[in-house]
PDB file of all heavy atoms in Angstrom:
ATOM      1  N   GLU M 237     -16.476  17.922  42.034  1.00 96.00           N
ATOM      2  CA  GLU M 237     -16.878  18.667  43.228  1.00 96.00           C
ATOM      3  C   GLU M 237     -15.678  18.921  44.116  1.00 96.00           C
ATOM      4  O   GLU M 237     -14.748  18.127  44.175  1.00 96.00           O
ATOM      5  CB  GLU M 237     -17.892  17.842  44.035  1.00 96.00           C
ATOM      6  CG  GLU M 237     -19.305  18.079  43.641  1.00 96.00           C
ATOM      7  CD  GLU M 237     -20.292  17.504  44.660  1.00 96.00           C
ATOM      8  OE1 GLU M 237     -19.862  16.866  45.643  1.00 96.00           O
ATOM      9  OE2 GLU M 237     -21.493  17.689  44.456  1.00 96.00           O
ATOM     10  N   GLU M 238     -15.753  20.040  44.845  1.00 96.00           N
ATOM     11  CA  GLU M 238     -14.725  20.337  45.842  1.00 96.00           C
ATOM     12  C   GLU M 238     -14.605  19.156  46.801  1.00 96.00           C
ATOM     13  O   GLU M 238     -15.604  18.544  47.166  1.00 96.00           O
ATOM     14  CB  GLU M 238     -15.125  21.570  46.652  1.00 96.00           C
ATOM     15  CG  GLU M 238     -14.882  22.873  45.950  1.00 96.00           C
ATOM     16  CD  GLU M 238     -15.220  24.045  46.851  1.00 96.00           C
ATOM     17  OE1 GLU M 238     -16.426  24.296  47.031  1.00 96.00           O
ATOM     18  OE2 GLU M 238     -14.301  24.671  47.355  1.00 96.00           O
ATOM     19  N   GLY M 239     -13.376  18.838  47.187  1.00 96.00           N
ATOM     20  CA  GLY M 239     -13.147  17.760  48.151  1.00 96.00           C
ATOM     21  C   GLY M 239     -13.047  16.389  47.523  1.00 96.00           C
ATOM     22  O   GLY M 239     -12.619  15.447  48.162  1.00 96.00           O
ATOM     23  N   SER M 240     -13.455  16.253  46.249  1.00 97.00           N
ATOM     24  CA  SER M 240     -13.383  14.943  45.593  1.00 97.00           C
ATOM     25  C   SER M 240     -12.050  14.803  44.857  1.00 97.00           C
ATOM     26  O   SER M 240     -11.175  15.673  44.939  1.00 97.00           O
ATOM     27  CB  SER M 240     -14.558  14.770  44.626  1.00 97.00           C
ATOM     28  OG  SER M 240     -14.419  15.665  43.535  1.00 97.00           O
ATOM     29  N   SER M 241     -11.890  13.713  44.140  1.00 98.00           N
ATOM     30  CA  SER M 241     -10.713  13.479  43.311  1.00 98.00           C
ATOM     31  C   SER M 241     -11.166  13.302  41.871  1.00 98.00           C
ATOM     32  O   SER M 241     -12.301  12.919  41.615  1.00 98.00           O
ATOM     33  CB  SER M 241      -9.989  12.204  43.751  1.00 98.00           C
ATOM     34  OG  SER M 241      -9.479  12.350  45.049  1.00 98.00           O
ATOM     35  N   VAL M 242     -10.259  13.577  40.944  1.00 98.00           N
ATOM     36  CA  VAL M 242     -10.556  13.392  39.527  1.00 98.00           C
ATOM     37  C   VAL M 242      -9.317  12.807  38.855  1.00 98.00           C
ATOM     38  O   VAL M 242      -8.200  13.110  39.249  1.00 98.00           O
ATOM     39  CB  VAL M 242     -11.001  14.729  38.875  1.00 98.00           C
ATOM     40  CG1 VAL M 242      -9.869  15.729  38.834  1.00 98.00           C
ATOM     41  CG2 VAL M 242     -11.553  14.506  37.481  1.00 98.00           C
ATOM     42  N   THR M 243      -9.542  11.946  37.865  1.00 98.00           N
ATOM     43  CA  THR M 243      -8.431  11.342  37.136  1.00 98.00           C
ATOM     44  C   THR M 243      -8.575  11.657  35.652  1.00 98.00           C
ATOM     45  O   THR M 243      -9.637  11.453  35.069  1.00 98.00           O
ATOM     46  CB  THR M 243      -8.397   9.808  37.353  1.00 98.00           C
ATOM     47  OG1 THR M 243      -8.233   9.552  38.749  1.00 98.00           O
ATOM     48  CG2 THR M 243      -7.239   9.175  36.593  1.00 98.00           C
ATOM     49  N   PHE M 244      -7.497  12.157  35.086  1.00 98.00           N
ATOM     50  CA  PHE M 244      -7.415  12.406  33.643  1.00 98.00           C
ATOM     51  C   PHE M 244      -6.549  11.305  33.046  1.00 98.00           C
ATOM     52  O   PHE M 244      -5.502  10.971  33.608  1.00 98.00           O
ATOM     53  CB  PHE M 244      -6.779  13.772  33.363  1.00 98.00           C
ATOM     54  CG  PHE M 244      -7.627  14.924  33.837  1.00 98.00           C
ATOM     55  CD1 PHE M 244      -7.384  15.529  35.050  1.00 98.00           C
ATOM     56  CD2 PHE M 244      -8.674  15.396  33.061  1.00 98.00           C
ATOM     57  CE1 PHE M 244      -8.164  16.592  35.487  1.00 98.00           C
ATOM     58  CE2 PHE M 244      -9.461  16.453  33.492  1.00 98.00           C
ATOM     59  CZ  PHE M 244      -9.201  17.047  34.697  1.00 98.00           C
ATOM     60  N   GLU M 245      -6.986  10.748  31.930  1.00 98.00           N
ATOM     61  CA  GLU M 245      -6.251   9.641  31.320  1.00 98.00           C
ATOM     62  C   GLU M 245      -5.830   9.982  29.905  1.00 98.00           C
ATOM     63  O   GLU M 245      -6.563  10.639  29.168  1.00 98.00           O
ATOM     64  CB  GLU M 245      -7.124   8.385  31.296  1.00 98.00           C
ATOM     65  CG  GLU M 245      -7.436   7.886  32.692  1.00 98.00           C
ATOM     66  CD  GLU M 245      -8.352   6.682  32.686  1.00 98.00           C
ATOM     67  OE1 GLU M 245      -9.040   6.434  31.678  1.00 98.00           O
ATOM     68  OE2 GLU M 245      -8.377   5.983  33.710  1.00 98.00           O
ATOM     69  N   ALA M 246      -4.632   9.498  29.558  1.00 98.00           N
ATOM     70  CA  ALA M 246      -4.119   9.667  28.195  1.00 98.00           C
ATOM     71  C   ALA M 246      -3.441   8.365  27.797  1.00 98.00           C
ATOM     72  O   ALA M 246      -2.946   7.622  28.646  1.00 98.00           O
ATOM     73  CB  ALA M 246      -3.118  10.818  28.143  1.00 98.00           C
ATOM     74  N   GLU M 247      -3.453   8.089  26.507  1.00 97.00           N
ATOM     75  CA  GLU M 247      -2.712   6.936  25.978  1.00 97.00           C
ATOM     76  C   GLU M 247      -1.819   7.439  24.865  1.00 97.00           C
ATOM     77  O   GLU M 247      -2.248   8.223  24.022  1.00 97.00           O
ATOM     78  CB  GLU M 247      -3.662   5.874  25.428  1.00 97.00           C
ATOM     79  CG  GLU M 247      -4.367   5.096  26.505  1.00 97.00           C
ATOM     80  CD  GLU M 247      -5.279   4.011  25.942  1.00 97.00           C
ATOM     81  OE1 GLU M 247      -5.064   3.576  24.796  1.00 97.00           O
ATOM     82  OE2 GLU M 247      -6.217   3.622  26.652  1.00 97.00           O
ATOM     83  N   THR M 248      -0.572   6.968  24.868  1.00 96.00           N
ATOM     84  CA  THR M 248       0.368   7.357  23.821  1.00 96.00           C
ATOM     85  C   THR M 248       0.434   6.265  22.766  1.00 96.00           C
ATOM     86  O   THR M 248       0.131   5.106  23.045  1.00 96.00           O
ATOM     87  CB  THR M 248       1.772   7.585  24.411  1.00 96.00           C
ATOM     88  OG1 THR M 248       2.147   6.447  25.188  1.00 96.00           O
ATOM     89  CG2 THR M 248       1.814   8.818  25.300  1.00 96.00           C
ATOM     90  N   GLU M 249       0.834   6.663  21.561  1.00 93.00           N
ATOM     91  CA  GLU M 249       0.990   5.695  20.467  1.00 93.00           C
ATOM     92  C   GLU M 249       2.103   4.701  20.797  1.00 93.00           C
ATOM     93  O   GLU M 249       2.008   3.527  20.477  1.00 93.00           O
ATOM     94  CB  GLU M 249       1.310   6.423  19.154  1.00 93.00           C
ATOM     95  CG  GLU M 249       0.160   7.255  18.614  1.00 93.00           C
ATOM     96  CD  GLU M 249      -0.958   6.424  18.026  1.00 93.00           C
ATOM     97  OE1 GLU M 249      -0.755   5.239  17.720  1.00 93.00           O
ATOM     98  OE2 GLU M 249      -2.069   6.958  17.877  1.00 93.00           O
ATOM     99  N   LYS M 250       3.169   5.194  21.449  1.00 90.00           N
ATOM    100  CA  LYS M 250       4.317   4.346  21.766  1.00 90.00           C
ATOM    101  C   LYS M 250       4.435   4.190  23.273  1.00 90.00           C
ATOM    102  O   LYS M 250       4.319   5.155  24.023  1.00 90.00           O
ATOM    103  CB  LYS M 250       5.601   4.975  21.221  1.00 90.00           C
ATOM    104  CG  LYS M 250       5.584   5.110  19.716  1.00 90.00           C
ATOM    105  CD  LYS M 250       6.876   5.710  19.216  1.00 90.00           C
ATOM    106  CE  LYS M 250       6.826   5.808  17.709  1.00 90.00           C
ATOM    107  NZ  LYS M 250       7.323   7.069  17.205  1.00 90.00           N
ATOM    108  N   SER M 251       4.699   2.970  23.729  1.00 88.00           N
ATOM    109  CA  SER M 251       4.755   2.733  25.173  1.00 88.00           C
ATOM    110  C   SER M 251       5.983   3.367  25.820  1.00 88.00           C
ATOM    111  O   SER M 251       5.981   3.627  27.010  1.00 88.00           O
ATOM    112  CB  SER M 251       4.713   1.231  25.473  1.00 88.00           C
ATOM    113  OG  SER M 251       5.783   0.575  24.842  1.00 88.00           O
ATOM    114  N   GLU M 252       7.034   3.646  25.041  1.00 86.00           N
ATOM    115  CA  GLU M 252       8.242   4.229  25.652  1.00 86.00           C
ATOM    116  C   GLU M 252       8.220   5.755  25.677  1.00 86.00           C
ATOM    117  O   GLU M 252       9.182   6.394  26.094  1.00 86.00           O
ATOM    118  CB  GLU M 252       9.509   3.733  24.943  1.00 86.00           C
ATOM    119  CG  GLU M 252       9.688   4.227  23.518  1.00 86.00           C
ATOM    120  CD  GLU M 252       8.955   3.377  22.474  1.00 86.00           C
ATOM    121  OE1 GLU M 252       8.239   2.428  22.824  1.00 86.00           O
ATOM    122  OE2 GLU M 252       9.110   3.689  21.287  1.00 86.00           O
ATOM    123  N   ALA M 253       7.113   6.352  25.247  1.00 89.00           N
ATOM    124  CA  ALA M 253       7.022   7.815  25.207  1.00 89.00           C
ATOM    125  C   ALA M 253       7.137   8.399  26.611  1.00 89.00           C
ATOM    126  O   ALA M 253       6.561   7.889  27.556  1.00 89.00           O
ATOM    127  CB  ALA M 253       5.705   8.239  24.567  1.00 89.00           C
ATOM    128  N   LYS M 254       7.902   9.474  26.707  1.00 93.00           N
ATOM    129  CA  LYS M 254       8.017  10.192  27.979  1.00 93.00           C
ATOM    130  C   LYS M 254       6.883  11.214  28.025  1.00 93.00           C
ATOM    131  O   LYS M 254       6.691  11.974  27.088  1.00 93.00           O
ATOM    132  CB  LYS M 254       9.367  10.907  28.059  1.00 93.00           C
ATOM    133  CG  LYS M 254      10.548   9.963  28.144  1.00 93.00           C
ATOM    134  CD  LYS M 254      11.586  10.497  29.094  1.00 93.00           C
ATOM    135  CE  LYS M 254      12.822   9.640  29.186  1.00 93.00           C
ATOM    136  NZ  LYS M 254      12.617   8.279  29.531  1.00 93.00           N
ATOM    137  N   VAL M 255       6.147  11.207  29.117  1.00 96.00           N
ATOM    138  CA  VAL M 255       4.975  12.073  29.252  1.00 96.00           C
ATOM    139  C   VAL M 255       5.173  13.017  30.432  1.00 96.00           C
ATOM    140  O   VAL M 255       5.650  12.614  31.487  1.00 96.00           O
ATOM    141  CB  VAL M 255       3.700  11.219  29.449  1.00 96.00           C
ATOM    142  CG1 VAL M 255       2.511  12.076  29.831  1.00 96.00           C
ATOM    143  CG2 VAL M 255       3.399  10.446  28.179  1.00 96.00           C
ATOM    144  N   LYS M 256       4.814  14.288  30.218  1.00 97.00           N
ATOM    145  CA  LYS M 256       4.844  15.288  31.284  1.00 97.00           C
ATOM    146  C   LYS M 256       3.444  15.841  31.444  1.00 97.00           C
ATOM    147  O   LYS M 256       2.717  15.996  30.471  1.00 97.00           O
ATOM    148  CB  LYS M 256       5.747  16.472  30.903  1.00 97.00           C
ATOM    149  CG  LYS M 256       7.198  16.256  31.117  1.00 97.00           C
ATOM    150  CD  LYS M 256       7.997  17.561  31.102  1.00 97.00           C
ATOM    151  CE  LYS M 256       7.676  18.482  29.963  1.00 97.00           C
ATOM    152  NZ  LYS M 256       8.633  19.590  29.835  1.00 97.00           N
ATOM    153  N   TRP M 257       3.073  16.137  32.680  1.00 98.00           N
ATOM    154  CA  TRP M 257       1.792  16.779  32.968  1.00 98.00           C
ATOM    155  C   TRP M 257       2.102  18.183  33.481  1.00 98.00           C
ATOM    156  O   TRP M 257       3.057  18.384  34.222  1.00 98.00           O
ATOM    157  CB  TRP M 257       1.040  15.999  34.038  1.00 98.00           C
ATOM    158  CG  TRP M 257       0.645  14.620  33.622  1.00 98.00           C
ATOM    159  CD1 TRP M 257       1.387  13.482  33.781  1.00 98.00           C
ATOM    160  CD2 TRP M 257      -0.570  14.211  32.990  1.00 98.00           C
ATOM    161  NE1 TRP M 257       0.705  12.405  33.281  1.00 98.00           N
ATOM    162  CE2 TRP M 257      -0.508  12.822  32.795  1.00 98.00           C
ATOM    163  CE3 TRP M 257      -1.712  14.894  32.573  1.00 98.00           C
ATOM    164  CZ2 TRP M 257      -1.532  12.099  32.205  1.00 98.00           C
ATOM    165  CZ3 TRP M 257      -2.737  14.168  31.992  1.00 98.00           C
ATOM    166  CH2 TRP M 257      -2.644  12.789  31.805  1.00 98.00           C
ATOM    167  N   GLN M 258       1.258  19.143  33.110  1.00 98.00           N
ATOM    168  CA  GLN M 258       1.456  20.518  33.548  1.00 98.00           C
ATOM    169  C   GLN M 258       0.143  21.146  34.004  1.00 98.00           C
ATOM    170  O   GLN M 258      -0.928  20.736  33.572  1.00 98.00           O
ATOM    171  CB  GLN M 258       2.019  21.386  32.407  1.00 98.00           C
ATOM    172  CG  GLN M 258       3.419  21.014  31.995  1.00 98.00           C
ATOM    173  CD  GLN M 258       3.967  21.968  30.942  1.00 98.00           C
ATOM    174  OE1 GLN M 258       3.223  22.558  30.164  1.00 98.00           O
ATOM    175  NE2 GLN M 258       5.282  22.118  30.911  1.00 98.00           N
ATOM    176  N   CYS M 259       0.295  22.149  34.867  1.00 97.00           N
ATOM    177  CA  CYS M 259      -0.831  22.985  35.284  1.00 97.00           C
ATOM    178  C   CYS M 259      -0.374  24.427  35.093  1.00 97.00           C
ATOM    179  O   CYS M 259       0.663  24.816  35.642  1.00 97.00           O
ATOM    180  CB  CYS M 259      -1.185  22.731  36.744  1.00 97.00           C
ATOM    181  SG  CYS M 259      -2.464  23.849  37.358  1.00 97.00           S
ATOM    182  N   ASN M 260      -1.118  25.201  34.310  1.00 94.00           N
ATOM    183  CA  ASN M 260      -0.735  26.587  34.013  1.00 94.00           C
ATOM    184  C   ASN M 260       0.715  26.673  33.538  1.00 94.00           C
ATOM    185  O   ASN M 260       1.498  27.502  33.996  1.00 94.00           O
ATOM    186  CB  ASN M 260      -0.952  27.500  35.225  1.00 94.00           C
ATOM    187  CG  ASN M 260      -2.414  27.725  35.491  1.00 94.00           C
ATOM    188  OD1 ASN M 260      -3.247  27.636  34.603  1.00 94.00           O
ATOM    189  ND2 ASN M 260      -2.749  27.993  36.739  1.00 94.00           N
ATOM    190  N   SER M 261       1.109  25.749  32.658  1.00 93.00           N
ATOM    191  CA  SER M 261       2.445  25.698  32.041  1.00 93.00           C
ATOM    192  C   SER M 261       3.574  25.372  33.013  1.00 93.00           C
ATOM    193  O   SER M 261       4.738  25.531  32.691  1.00 93.00           O
ATOM    194  CB  SER M 261       2.762  27.003  31.304  1.00 93.00           C
ATOM    195  OG  SER M 261       1.785  27.228  30.315  1.00 93.00           O
ATOM    196  N   LYS M 262       3.257  24.900  34.219  1.00 96.00           N
ATOM    197  CA  LYS M 262       4.287  24.477  35.173  1.00 96.00           C
ATOM    198  C   LYS M 262       4.200  22.962  35.333  1.00 96.00           C
ATOM    199  O   LYS M 262       3.105  22.411  35.446  1.00 96.00           O
ATOM    200  CB  LYS M 262       4.074  25.142  36.533  1.00 96.00           C
ATOM    201  CG  LYS M 262       4.271  26.643  36.509  1.00 96.00           C
ATOM    202  CD  LYS M 262       4.190  27.211  37.917  1.00 96.00           C
ATOM    203  CE  LYS M 262       4.370  28.703  37.927  1.00 96.00           C
ATOM    204  NZ  LYS M 262       3.140  29.456  37.710  1.00 96.00           N
ATOM    205  N   ASP M 263       5.356  22.303  35.347  1.00 97.00           N
ATOM    206  CA  ASP M 263       5.372  20.851  35.486  1.00 97.00           C
ATOM    207  C   ASP M 263       4.766  20.418  36.820  1.00 97.00           C
ATOM    208  O   ASP M 263       4.950  21.075  37.845  1.00 97.00           O
ATOM    209  CB  ASP M 263       6.812  20.313  35.392  1.00 97.00           C
ATOM    210  CG  ASP M 263       7.349  20.351  33.967  1.00 97.00           C
ATOM    211  OD1 ASP M 263       6.594  20.746  33.057  1.00 97.00           O
ATOM    212  OD2 ASP M 263       8.520  19.995  33.773  1.00 97.00           O
ATOM    213  N   ILE M 264       4.062  19.299  36.778  1.00 97.00           N
ATOM    214  CA  ILE M 264       3.442  18.715  37.969  1.00 97.00           C
ATOM    215  C   ILE M 264       4.271  17.494  38.370  1.00 97.00           C
ATOM    216  O   ILE M 264       4.673  16.704  37.519  1.00 97.00           O
ATOM    217  CB  ILE M 264       1.998  18.261  37.663  1.00 97.00           C
ATOM    218  CG1 ILE M 264       1.108  19.463  37.368  1.00 97.00           C
ATOM    219  CG2 ILE M 264       1.434  17.438  38.825  1.00 97.00           C
ATOM    220  CD1 ILE M 264      -0.290  19.078  36.904  1.00 97.00           C
ATOM    221  N   ALA M 265       4.498  17.345  39.671  1.00 95.00           N
ATOM    222  CA  ALA M 265       5.194  16.161  40.180  1.00 95.00           C
ATOM    223  C   ALA M 265       4.244  15.391  41.092  1.00 95.00           C
ATOM    224  O   ALA M 265       3.359  15.973  41.715  1.00 95.00           O
ATOM    225  CB  ALA M 265       6.445  16.571  40.952  1.00 95.00           C
ATOM    226  N   SER M 266       4.447  14.075  41.157  1.00 95.00           N
ATOM    227  CA  SER M 266       3.642  13.242  42.053  1.00 95.00           C
ATOM    228  C   SER M 266       3.898  13.670  43.490  1.00 95.00           C
ATOM    229  O   SER M 266       5.023  13.989  43.861  1.00 95.00           O
ATOM    230  CB  SER M 266       4.041  11.770  41.892  1.00 95.00           C
ATOM    231  OG  SER M 266       3.026  11.056  41.258  1.00 95.00           O
ATOM    232  N   GLY M 267       2.870  13.659  44.295  1.00 95.00           N
ATOM    233  CA  GLY M 267       3.013  14.033  45.702  1.00 95.00           C
ATOM    234  C   GLY M 267       1.679  13.859  46.397  1.00 95.00           C
ATOM    235  O   GLY M 267       0.852  13.050  45.980  1.00 95.00           O
ATOM    236  N   ASN M 268       1.458  14.658  47.452  1.00 95.00           N
ATOM    237  CA  ASN M 268       0.205  14.558  48.198  1.00 95.00           C
ATOM    238  C   ASN M 268      -0.986  14.973  47.349  1.00 95.00           C
ATOM    239  O   ASN M 268      -2.050  14.387  47.434  1.00 95.00           O
ATOM    240  CB  ASN M 268       0.249  15.444  49.451  1.00 95.00           C
ATOM    241  CG  ASN M 268       1.202  14.901  50.491  1.00 95.00           C
ATOM    242  OD1 ASN M 268       1.516  13.720  50.476  1.00 95.00           O
ATOM    243  ND2 ASN M 268       1.687  15.761  51.369  1.00 95.00           N
TER     244      ASN M 268
END
Side-chain angles (χ1 to χ4, degrees):
E237 271 193 357
E238 281 184 285
S240 68
S241 295
V242 67
T243 300
F244 294 97
E245 295 177 341
E247 286 182 23
T248 52
E249 292 287 342
K250 298 181 179 136
S251 58
E252 68 275 4
K254 293 219 183 304
V255 170
K256 279 196 313 191
W257 296 90
Q258 293 184 332
C259 174
N260 289 334
S261 301
K262 294 186 180 86
D263 286 358
I264 293 173
S266 250
N268 290 338

